[in-house]
Amino acid sequence: MSLDAAFLTALLLSTLRQTTPLLLTALGGMFSERSGVTNIALEGILLFGALTAAVVVERLEAALGPGPHPWLPWVGVVSAMGVGGLVAFVHALVSIKYRADQIISATAINLLALGAPSLVLTYFYGNATSSKEVVNRLPLLFGLSPVVYLAFLLVPLSWWVLFKTPFGLRLRAVGEHPEAADTLGVNVYRMRYTGVVLSGVLAGLAGAYLSIGFLNQFVRGMSAGMGFIALAAMIFGNWHPAGILFSTLLFGLASALAIQLQGSEILPAVLVQAFPYVVTVLVLAGFIGRSRPPAAVGKPYEK
Amino acid sequence: MLTDCKRLGLLVLLGGGVALLLWYLAPWAVPHRVFGGEGVLLNPFGHHLPQGSLPQGYRDAWLYPVFYLSLAWLALSLLLPWTKAGPRGLYWAGALGLGLFLLTYLLFQGSVAQVNAGAERPLLRRYSLGLGSYATLAYGLYLLLLARVFSPGGLALLVRRRGVVVPLFSLLLASLLGGAIVAVLKESPGEAATWREALMLKLDLITYTYQLLYSPLVSPSGFLQSLLLATPLIFTGLSVALGFRGGLFNIGAPGQLILGAIAAMLVGVYLPGPRWLVLPLALLAAALAGGLWGAIPGWLKARFGAHEVINTIMFNYIAASLFLFLISANEYKFFGQTLHLPFKYPGYEARSYEVRPEARIPHWTDLVAPGGELSFALPLALLLGVLGYFLVRRSLGHRVLAAGLLGALGYGLGGLLPGPQVAFGPDLTSVRLNGAFLLALLALLFFHLYVFRHVGGYELRALGLAPKAAEYGGVNPGRKVVWTMFLAGALAGLAATHYVLGGGIDEYRLKQSLPYSVGFDGIAVALMGQNTPLGVGLAAWLFGILLTGGLQVNLQLGISRELVAVLQALIVLFIAAGGFLPRYFTDPLRAAEVELKAEKEVKE
């Protein structure tokens, strides 16, 4: 293996592909945490999104016939975003209205995402591990899925939303000092619900990208910790869109390198797979001192 | 604001309404269940009969008097709250309901026995009461509960017992939602002519699912199997609970379990020596390895402030990679050079060599009745151990030491006594319950002694409740965090001994199929058990029962066993939300307010 142009192109494309779900999820996590709610349920929401997209597209194909339906994958994407938002809403409801420990409530959703897909898969396909393959995957645009371009476009967009709009100001205020925001007439609860649901919608989109963009079916546990890695990237990126872009690219590169190394004889594949996780640990240990979370994150607010 | 009297009346009306609805819609009894789960469903408003007629010779006449009695009882209970009898009268109504349920049960059993009597092979074998009769029982219990809550100081009692109320209520809610999921995901067997019959079939399907889930309670082999599945859950539940007590969230139990399994395998396979040396060393190695794997994220938190939640999760993935690296192949290429490992057993499957017989944890039959003779070793050890603990009136260390020594003495002496011959059927001996279960019980004891009777545990709880106060009180938080994570990891690591050294699944090896996700189940166990040893033990047993029953549900109804995982997740979610109960069930300050108010009431 030599470092020729073909290899570099493959590595670049692979990096962009690996970065996309992380970037979407990390941006989602940013909106949630900026509003003051930790959301480690994003891992589970990724899975729910992936499952929804794959099952919706496959079921519609079964009803309409396989023939090329260019609009079909987008129905899957939209329903995945809807389900993602819905699951995030459950987390929001339990942790905002019922003041649950946000990490435990999110863990419950992650546990649910380990078990529930099997029930759904058994119901539709009679096996508990994977869905039937779909024909209508997300299309490719210059070798990459449109979702990839969308994810990178979302970086400047979310920067603008967060720092240049009244909505963003309120969202940040609610996460930094909810009492002060409340005094100024901001509806703390509504802002937090919005932030959490937004994170679920983005993670649902990332999930749809995994199942009908990256692959063509849902496979059990296919998110493989991406939701958690995205959260580490968000911390590393200092809860800022530009920082998140940089850190998710780093993680994307680590995953892409791991994939490129798998066929080679440089390092054993089973060890290389652990690479992104080790990077996460190192990042959390080495750089966390520099980053500063929103002041009120993780704390339930009471009027 | 409603008066207490009105509120009680409305609550009774609500419960009575639900009971009446279930009496109308749900089967009262299922004298016979045909293959595929469809039942012969009896209901006073019309039966559902799969083959068009009742089973040969079955008489359903008992149902009607019971039904009219129940109606009279319902009417009485609805009126009672509005009379002078008030809550006290409801006690009687509740007790009456329990009696009525007992009557239903006896009459039904009688009707089945009548058919079966005389026949060589019983005609009706799969029979049970139905949801309609259970509604009678539930409404009776509900009345008793209301009576207690509306007596002076009743609410305060519930609030004081919130550690039990919240998990049980969450279990109830999760079960209701689980029932709805079953109803949606599974078509009911059998054809229905009317909508009432269709609903009756659905309700019977849900009831049957739960009967299967809890069926291990009534069969000896199922009972043993539930203890088998509870064993690793006790360890991982304690691991998570210890973290919670110290204000830490240990999601790393799966990874710690994997490291424990690797260490147990290394010692168990490769260390020669006598049993009394090798087995304890293998156990120790498992605990140590799990502990160290837990201590690293603890250290990262103490030293760098890295959050333990994400780190422990990352360490799960890293441990899984390491585990596969060791046992999935024996040759690896590193930068063109070849590395040889000795661990993988030849063959297609990724598994280690077998653990040497000296390092194996004995099977339960070898503990209870070695060589077919009932042994007195364990009962005597327990007796002397307890005596030793309570007779020595000195420090905790002395008491534990005395208990341990006397227990060992009892074990030795008991082994010498001759016992009667016993024989167990193959359905019991095939259950792979082993000595790891006893270790799990010891771990529960350790948890109690350390957390509630030892200075270290006191510091741990102080740190969990009020970190700053604990620090002013002289606790070194960094060191305590590392130590807590070490102990939590050690408990999770010991869970692995059940699989590798105890042969808890099928072989005495480390295999790729090691079910390390029981580490996640530990979260549900710890929350359900409210981080107390007794609670963790009971919660682990409950989940052991459900997991065993889940197998039956899968076999008989074709519903994925993951239904149990979904129930667990829902339980965690609902407990996190305080069971959606009023605030005074979750907030200690508000709870204290309720109790103070109740004290005043009682004095008046």
Side-chain angles (χ1 to χ4, degrees), chain B residues 374-599:
Chain B
L374 204 63
S375 157
F376 291 102
L378 282 177
L380 206 61
L382 178 70
L383 186 72
L384 286 186
V386 171
L387 271 181
Y389 183 82
F390 284 106
L391 286 184
V392 176
R393 312 292 271 165
R394 296 191 50 192
S395 75
L396 184 70
H398 286 98
R399 301 178 86 169
V400 170
L401 189 69
L405 286 177
L406 277 177
L409 183 72
Y411 189 83
L413 282 180
L416 299 176
L417 293 174
Q421 291 280 335
V422 279
F424 300 106
D427 59 326
L428 294 184
T429 49
S430 67
V431 178
R432 301 187 69 94
L433 183 67
N434 57 66
F437 178 67
L438 294 180
L439 281 181
L441 296 184
L442 284 180
L444 287 171
L445 198 64
F446 162 79
F447 187 93
H448 170 74
L449 291 176
Y450 179 72
V451 173
F452 298 104
R453 294 278 178 274
H454 188 264
V455 186
Y458 175 78
E459 291 178 356
L460 179 100
R461 283 182 291 140
L463 197 65
L465 287 171
K468 292 220 168 103
E471 206 178 335
Y472 279 116
V475 180
N476 178 342
R479 198 179 296 167
K480 201 76 201 168
V481 164
V482 178
W483 177 239
T484 306
M485 285 302 290
F486 176 82
L487 283 181
L491 284 167
L494 278 174
T497 61
H498 166 72
Y499 298 114
V500 179
L501 305 175
I505 293 185
D506 47 5
E507 285 181 288
Y508 294 89
R509 304 170 191 267
L510 179 60
K511 299 176 74 168
Q512 191 176 358
S513 56
L514 180 77
Y516 49 81
S517 66
V518 292
F520 292 126
D521 300 340
I523 300 167
V525 173
L527 283 171
M528 184 81 195
Q530 297 283 303
N531 307 327
T532 62
L534 184 66
V536 165
L538 289 176
W541 187 40
L542 172 74
F543 290 134
I545 292 168
L546 292 180
L547 285 168
T548 312
L551 207 62
Q552 289 300 318
V553 172
N554 193 359
L555 281 176
Q556 313 243 0
L557 289 172
I559 299 171
S560 168
R561 219 181 152 197
E562 298 292 327
L563 178 65
V564 179
V566 170
L567 283 179
Q568 276 183 356
L570 290 175
I571 288 173
V572 172
L573 188 67
F574 294 157
I575 292 182
F580 303 108
L581 289 165
R583 281 295 292 284
Y584 41 77
F585 279 103
T586 45
D587 188 340
L589 284 177
R590 289 175 199 225
E593 269 174 32
V594 171
E595 287 185 37
L596 277 178
K597 215 171 105 193
E599 262 176 39

Side-chain angles (χ1 to χ4, degrees), chain B residues 4-6 8-9 12 77 79-95 142-152 154:
Chain B
D4 265 9
C5 173
K6 263 189 195 161
L8 180 62
V12 170
S77 71
L79 288 178
L80 267 175
W82 309 99
T83 63
K84 272 189 185 163
R88 199 167 308 155
L90 281 187
Y91 274 122
W92 290 107
Y142 177 71
L143 288 180
L144 286 178
L145 182 73
L146 282 183
R148 184 69 191 91
V149 170
F150 280 83
S151 317

Side-chain angles (χ1 to χ4, degrees), chain A residues 40 43 90 94 98-101 103-105 107-109 111-112 114-116 118-119 122-123 220 224-225 228-229 231-232 235 265-268 270-271 273-274 277-278 280-281 284-285 288 302, chain B residues 181 184-185 244 249 251 300 304-307 309-311 313-315 317-318 321 324-325 328 332-336 520 523 527 558-560 562-563 565-566 569-570 572-573 576-577 580 583 590:
Chain A
I40 64 162
E43 170 77 10
V90 172
V94 170
Y98 293 94
R99 289 163 301 269
D101 183 320
I103 292 190
I104 297 180
S105 134
T107 302
I109 287 170
L111 290 175
L112 202 59
L114 290 181
S118 295
L119 285 182
T122 316
Y123 176 68
R220 209 180 158 184
F228 301 123
I229 295 180
L231 286 177
I235 296 170
E265 298 199 333
I266 297 178
L267 283 169
V270 279
L271 286 189
Q273 275 163 4
Y277 309 120
V278 176
T280 307
V281 170
L284 281 180
I288 191 134
E302 262 184 88
Chain B
I181 291 172
V184 171
L185 285 185
F244 276 141
F249 194 4
I251 316 192
L300 288 171
F304 301 105
H307 203 292
V309 168
I310 294 182
N311 263 337
I313 293 169
M314 291 301 121
F315 271 75
Y317 289 108
I318 298 172
S321 274
L324 279 184
F325 174 70
S328 67
Y332 289 103
K333 297 265 199 291
F334 274 96
F335 301 101
F520 292 126
I523 300 167
L527 283 171
I559 299 171
S560 168
E562 298 292 327
L563 178 65
V566 170
L570 290 175
V572 172
L573 188 67
F580 303 108
R583 281 295 292 284
R590 289 175 199 225

Side-chain angles (χ1 to χ4, degrees), chain B residues 116-335:
Chain B
N116 284 342
E120 225 168 79
R121 236 172 119 250
L123 285 170
L124 305 177
R125 269 163 301 151
R126 298 166 70 196
Y127 56 87
S128 69
L129 284 178
L131 188 58
S133 310
Y134 294 142
T136 310
L137 176 68
Y139 183 52
L141 290 173
Y142 177 71
L143 288 180
L144 286 178
L145 182 73
L146 282 183
R148 184 69 191 91
V149 170
F150 280 83
S151 317
L155 184 62
L157 180 79
L158 273 194
V159 169
R160 204 173 314 130
R161 297 260 173 274
R162 58 186 179 274
V164 181
V165 172
V166 172
L168 284 186
F169 193 69
S170 302
L171 175 67
L172 185 74
L173 283 182
S175 303
L176 286 178
L177 197 54
I181 291 172
V182 168
V184 171
L185 285 185
K186 177 80 188 160
E187 265 176 59
S188 35
E191 277 175 32
T194 60
W195 65 269
R196 193 183 75 87
E197 213 174 338
L199 271 176
M200 192 150 90
L201 280 167
K202 274 285 181 213
L203 287 172
D204 178 58
L205 173 72
I206 297 169
T207 319
Y208 186 44
T209 308
Y210 279 105
Q211 281 173 344
L212 286 175
L213 275 180
Y214 286 98
S215 63
L217 276 174
V218 292
S219 93
S221 66
F223 177 78
L224 284 184
Q225 186 75 25
S226 70
L227 294 184
L228 169 87
L229 291 172
T231 304
L233 292 180
I234 293 177
F235 283 116
T236 55
L238 285 178
S239 168
V240 179
L242 195 77
F244 276 141
R245 283 282 176 194
L248 296 163
F249 194 4
N250 178 25
I251 316 192
Q256 293 145 16
L257 189 150
I258 290 174
L259 263 285
I262 293 174
M265 181 274 285
L266 289 180
V267 174
V269 175
Y270 297 102
L271 191 73
R275 181 181 198 80
W276 59 266
L277 185 67
V278 179
L279 180 55
L281 275 181
L283 297 176
L284 202 66
L288 211 62
L292 288 177
W293 200 251
I296 303 171
W299 177 74
L300 288 171
K301 183 185 174 84
R303 175 73 180 74
F304 301 105
H307 203 292
E308 83 277 7
V309 168
I310 294 182
N311 263 337
T312 47
I313 293 169
M314 291 301 121
F315 271 75
N316 288 340
Y317 289 108
I318 298 172
S321 274
L322 192 65
F323 164 58
L324 279 184
F325 174 70
L326 287 181
I327 64 159
S328 67
N330 274 340
E331 269 186 33
Y332 289 103
K333 297 265 199 291
F334 274 96
F335 301 101

Side-chain angles (χ1 to χ4, degrees), chain A residues 12 54 67 122-124 167 174 195 207 242 247 255 280 285 289:
Chain A
L12 177 70
T122 316
Y123 176 68
F124 282 120
F167 168 79
V174 159
S247 60
S255 307
T280 307

Side-chain angles (χ1 to χ4, degrees), chain A residues 239-273:
Chain A
W239 290 266
H240 191 284
I244 286 173
L245 175 66
F246 169 72
S247 60
T248 48
L249 274 172
L250 180 79
F251 281 110
L253 182 67
S255 307
L257 270 177
I259 293 171
Q260 296 291 324
L261 282 173
Q262 268 183 17
S264 72
E265 298 199 333
I266 297 178
L267 283 169
V270 279
L271 286 189
V272 168
Q273 275 163 4

